[in-house]
Amino acid sequence: MKTRRKRPLAPGDRQLHGPQGTQLFSTEALRRYAYEAEYASDGVASAHEPVLEGISKGLENLRFSLRSGRQTIGRASNNDIVVDESSVSSSHGWIINQPGHCVIMNTLSTNGTFVNDKRIHEATLKHGDHIRLGQAEFVFLTRESRQPRQHRRAWMMAGLLLLAGLAALAWRFF
C-alpha cells in the first residue's frame, strides 16, 4: 500500500486549514475579530464600564466600551481602540478605567488630546466630557442620557398594540 507524502510548506505558502481540517487564523485576523466582538459594541454606558461614543463625521454612533484597566488608543492596528482617522497618531494615548474614575493620557501625539476644548497631557473624565484626538471627536458616557433606540421602539410597539386592542374592544361593545 502506498502512503501519500505531503510536501513541506515553503515559507511563502499559506495554510488555511490544519491537518484535521481545523481552520487556522492569522494573528491579524484574530485581533480584528476580537476587536469587532469586544469594542465596536452597542453596550450600555455605566459607571463600571463607560463608553466612548463617536460624534465626528465617520465616527457617528460608533461606541467603544472601556473595560477595567488601561487601553491604548490610536490609529495603528495594535491599539486596543483603533481610530481610523489620519489626524490621530498611531499611538495617540491611553485611557485608564479604574474603580471610581477614568483617566485619559496623551502619549506625545502629533495633534494633541483635548478634553472640553482644553489641550491636556492627563485628565480625569466625567460624564458628558467631549474628547478630541486630532480631528476625531468623542463623548464620554457613564450613563445613558436617553433610552437606547431598541427599547424606545419596543415601548412604541407595545403602546400601538395596546391601542389597537382597546379600539377592537370598544368597537365590539359599543
Side-chain angles (χ1 to χ4, degrees):
M1 177 176 256
K2 271 189 181 177
T3 58
R4 195 170 168 173
R5 245 180 141 154
K6 282 188 166 182
R7 81 172 168 85
L9 288 175
D13 289 351
R14 290 181 50 142
Q15 187 176 7
L16 299 177
H17 299 283
Q20 289 84 29
T22 306
Q23 189 170 0
L24 301 176
F25 294 94
S26 69
T27 304
E28 183 57 38
L30 287 174
R31 186 176 287 128
R32 187 176 61 248
Y33 294 138
Y35 169 79
E36 289 169 358
E38 189 172 350
Y39 290 105
S41 72
D42 287 335
V44 176
S46 68
H48 176 69
E49 193 168 297
V51 167
L52 278 184
E53 185 174 64
I55 56 175
S56 60
K57 186 176 180 180
L59 299 173
E60 301 97 341
N61 299 319
L62 184 62
R63 301 185 98 180
F64 298 98
S65 294
L66 302 175
R67 68 181 189 284
S68 184
R70 182 188 81 171
Q71 287 120 105
T72 59
I73 186 167
R75 194 179 69 247
S77 64
N78 64 342
N79 285 292
D80 297 312
I81 300 171
V82 179
V83 180
D84 189 21
E85 157 63 47
S86 61
S87 64
V88 174
S89 294
S90 59
S91 180
H92 202 99
W94 294 348
I95 297 180
I96 304 162
N97 183 6
Q98 299 173 331
H101 68 285
C102 208
V103 175
I104 187 167
M105 295 178 70
N106 185 50
T107 54
L108 302 175
S109 66
T110 304
N111 293 318
T113 301
F114 296 80
V115 175
N116 299 324
D117 292 324
K118 287 184 179 178
R119 190 177 191 121
I120 59 101
H121 171 67
E122 181 179 327
T124 300
L125 298 171
K126 60 186 179 304
H127 177 76
D129 279 348
H130 283 256
I131 299 166
R132 185 165 48 89
L133 311 170
Q135 298 301 313
E137 294 185 55
F138 299 90
V139 64
F140 177 77
L141 302 172
T142 58
R143 62 184 178 274
E144 296 297 328
S145 57
R146 59 187 188 281
Q147 287 182 337
R149 196 171 277 164
Q150 60 267 39
H151 290 142
R152 285 193 305 228
R153 187 174 296 143
W155 279 107
M156 287 186 348
M157 290 302 292
L160 287 173
L161 288 173
L162 180 64
L163 283 173
L166 289 174
L169 282 173
W171 177 77
R172 182 163 190 208
F173 290 111
F174 294 108

